[in-house]
Structure formats: structure tokens, C-alpha cells
Amino acid sequence: MSESATTTSPALTTEVERISHEIVRLLIPHRRTVEPDTHLDKTDDFPEQLSQIRDFVANNEQVIFSLPGFPCKSPNLDKVFSHLPDHGERLALRFLDSLCAEIEKVYAPGAKVLICSDGHIFGDVIHVPDAHIDAYNDAIADMIRAEGLADHLDTFDLRDVYGPDLTYDEKRQRAATTLGPSLEELRAEVREDESSLRMYRGITRFLVEDTANWEGTRSALQRDCRRRAYEVILRSRAWSELIAESYPRNVRLSIHPQNRGSIKFGIRLLGAADAWTTPWHSTLLHRTDGTWELMHRRDAQKIGREVYVDGRPSHFEALGDGSGTGSDAEDRPAAA
């Protein structure tokens, strides 16, 4: 807790605690985790987040969250429309904006999410060109402005650090060597820690799925993706440390599943079949009951039709009963 918070009156200290717990309570329903007993979640289970939020509240400041994510679209067009964001990202941004608006109802200074795009930090490892990552990041910033979300959302990426004279490769290398763990340390951690092993396996699976036009054997692909998974984690850790150095007070969020008590709070942006799916690895299906679900493009197109907005594919509208067996001839407008 900051020094100013320690000198406040007992009544004010009690109010700071109440508000801090209330903000965590608003986060809990959206927690991304693989733990099966989330119905048991209590605000006291998240002391790291309470401490970080308390520091802002004690000083009557807007609570700032850092969220590494929104890196780039998957390079596999069986999963996504293109390298540009679509309605999945738009709804995810709207969700983050609405979460900040909910916090503002219980805490007048409100909240803001700093979206820290991690695409450039490992773009070379996942085989996505830097130009595509730039285009994706710029389109996310345009979406925030067009949707009127700038009061609650802001962006940060590798272009904002180390000055304009270094190339992306040089920036990646500097971050990895100065801020990331060694490969040996990372391998030992994956062997010994269950959550790290789960992360490693999840990223390996994504890399296998994202690989297009592989000409070798399946076993060779698995080996290549296992090797690259370590590098993705190493770079991601370096990026996380770089964010922490740049914004040391911010409340740390994650789009990856996190257990209770973790230094980061895992947050689920949209509905999906598992805890790992994100808008940038999938497309969005609008079901006939009005709900939205993230799924791979190859699966969504079996049960829905593409909807275009401003000349670009946006999402899928489910046909008939949403099972792919019905028909829907009416040309409905794109959903908001």
C-alpha cells in the first residue's frame, strides 16, 4: 500500500477496503481458469489483485489494468478470416469497456485497460510478418476510436519502447536477453510446475494448429512446435516484464488461464468451448438464440454464413437451428 494510504483515517481505510473488494468481485465472474470450482471464488482469494487495486483506490486514482494480448490473427485461414481484426475483437473490446463502466458505478474515478499487444515480441516465432502485426494493431486502435471506447481503453506495443532506431528483430532480441528467463530455467519450470506445463502444452497445440503448408511429417511438426513453444513463452515473459517495468503499478491481467492467488488475473473476453480460445485464433458465430461463440472458421462456416461489414468479413450468422441442417434465406443485416 502506498504511503498516503497508510496515513488515512480508519473510516477511510475501511472504505478503501470495501471498494477494492467490490472491484475484485466485479472481475470474478469473468475469470479465465481451468480450476473446476470457480463457484467457490471469494475476493480474499486474490490478494495480489486486491493489493494492486487498493493502491489506486487509496489515492483516489483511476484503476489501470495491463492486459497483454490482441497480438495478431492466426496465420491459419482455417481458423480466421484474414490478418485483420473482426467482430470477435470488436466484442472483446466492448466487453472490456463495459467492465470499466461497471467499475465506475462503484468507484467514481473508474478504470482503464491498457491493451499491451504482444504480437511483435514473438511474431517471428509464430511466422506472422511484422507488417501484418502493424496492420492488426492499427486496426485495433481504429476500432477503439470508432466505437467510442477511448475513455476506457488504450494501447501499447513494441513500437512504443527502445526508441525508433532499432528494428523489430533488435527490439525482440534486447527484450528476450535482458528480461526473459534462460531456456534452461524455462525447461526446468515446465518439468516441475503444473501450470507452466499446461501453458507449454496449450501453446504447442496452438502452434500446431496455426502451422499452414507444412511439408514434413506430423512428428517433425510436433518437434518444431514444441521447440517454438518454449521461445514463445520466453518472449512472453520478457514482454510481461517490460510492461511491468513501464507500468509498475498497473493491475496485471492475462488472457491465459490463471489459478487463484496468481500474480496475474486471467480474464475471459468472450464465450468459447474451452479456456484457451481467443478472438485472434478464431471467428465469431452468432447463434439463432442471440448468443455469440468463438470457433474456428472451418467449423463456423459449416453452420453459418459469412457476414460482411464495410467490405470485410465480420462474423458468421448461424443458419436455421444453428446445427447447419436448416436454411436461412433472409439476408439479415450485420449484428451490432
Side-chain angles (χ1 to χ4, degrees):
M1 188 182 295
S2 64
E3 182 180 350
S4 60
T6 63
T7 61
T8 56
S9 68
L12 184 56
T13 299
T14 299
E15 183 66 359
V16 167
E17 286 299 307
R18 185 192 68 78
I19 292 172
S20 300
H21 280 266
E22 188 61 30
I23 292 173
V24 172
R25 188 172 292 111
L26 291 172
L27 296 176
I28 285 176
H30 310 290
R31 189 162 77 92
R32 183 188 288 264
T33 184
V34 294
E35 292 172 312
D37 56 350
T38 54
H39 63 286
L40 300 177
D41 285 348
K42 304 183 299 296
T43 56
D44 285 331
D45 294 328
F46 305 94
E48 187 71 28
Q49 288 71 43
L50 282 171
S51 175
Q52 293 168 331
I53 291 169
R54 189 184 295 122
D55 183 54
F56 287 101
V57 175
N59 289 286
N60 201 39
E61 297 172 338
Q62 186 180 43
V63 178
I64 310 294
F65 297 93
S66 290
L67 176 62
F70 292 83
C72 57
K73 281 293 193 182
S74 163
N76 187 344
L77 294 182
D78 280 342
K79 299 174 71 173
V80 300
F81 289 121
S82 73
H83 67 280
L84 295 173
D86 52 45
H87 202 52
E89 278 86 355
R90 182 178 290 107
L91 289 192
L93 293 173
R94 289 179 183 173
F95 160 71
L96 292 172
D97 175 75
S98 69
L99 184 59
C100 290
E102 287 300 307
I103 291 173
E104 200 167 321
K105 292 178 182 178
V106 302
Y107 176 57
K112 193 164 194 170
V113 177
L114 181 67
I115 296 170
C116 304
S117 175
D118 45 0
H120 282 302
I121 199 71
F122 48 63
D124 57 325
V125 182
I126 63 174
H127 302 161
V128 175
D130 285 314
H132 282 190
I133 299 171
D134 279 339
Y136 180 91
N137 288 346
D138 291 343
I140 290 292
D142 289 343
M143 249 183 210
I144 290 172
R145 287 190 291 269
E147 293 281 319
L149 311 179
D151 286 345
H152 292 149
L153 305 180
D154 203 351
T155 60
F156 174 80
D157 63 51
L158 199 60
R159 291 176 290 189
D160 298 314
V161 298
Y162 297 145
D165 296 330
L166 297 184
T167 66
Y168 283 129
D169 283 335
E170 290 169 335
K171 289 184 177 185
R172 283 188 278 261
Q173 182 65 20
R174 175 176 292 188
T177 55
T178 61
L179 299 171
S182 70
L183 191 56
E184 293 73 20
E185 290 171 335
L186 196 54
R187 289 184 185 278
E189 182 182 320
V190 168
R191 286 194 301 268
E192 298 166 5
D193 180 70
E194 182 180 349
S195 62
S196 297
L197 176 61
R198 188 166 58 241
M199 171 89 61
Y200 166 73
R201 287 174 172 169
I203 291 175
T204 299
R205 175 168 62 88
F206 274 130
L207 291 173
V208 170
E209 292 175 350
D210 283 0
T211 300
N213 304 317
W214 179 263
E215 297 181 355
T217 65
R218 180 74 177 180
S219 60
L221 174 61
Q222 290 280 358
R223 287 194 300 272
D224 178 69
C225 291
R226 286 195 291 267
R227 175 189 60 79
R228 288 192 285 137
Y230 280 113
E231 190 65 29
V232 169
I233 297 172
L234 190 156
R235 304 278 192 90
S236 295
R237 295 279 182 84
W239 181 239
S240 182
E241 290 303 310
L242 185 54
I243 295 169
E245 281 190 358
S246 302
Y247 302 96
R249 295 180 62 212
N250 287 11
V251 185
R252 302 173 72 177
L253 302 179
S254 174
I255 55 90
H256 296 301
Q258 302 288 330
N259 293 334
R260 294 185 191 92
S262 296
I263 192 170
K264 294 183 181 180
F265 187 96
I267 193 158
R268 176 171 38 83
L269 302 176
L270 293 172
D274 63 46
W276 291 90
T277 305
T278 64
W280 41 94
H281 285 104
S282 57
T283 58
L284 196 62
L285 176 73
H286 192 206
R287 293 196 177 276
T288 54
D289 63 1
T291 60
W292 297 89
E293 183 179 354
L294 293 169
M295 61 176 62
H296 292 168
R297 179 187 181 185
R298 62 174 177 265
D299 297 323
Q301 65 189 6
K302 294 175 184 176
I303 57 177
R305 66 176 178 86
E306 285 189 19
V307 174
Y308 282 70
V309 174
D310 296 330
R312 280 172 34 199
S314 169
H315 61 279
F316 286 93
E317 284 279 354
L319 301 176
D321 61 2
S323 66
T325 59
S327 62
D328 186 357
E330 184 181 359
D331 186 17
R332 289 177 289 177

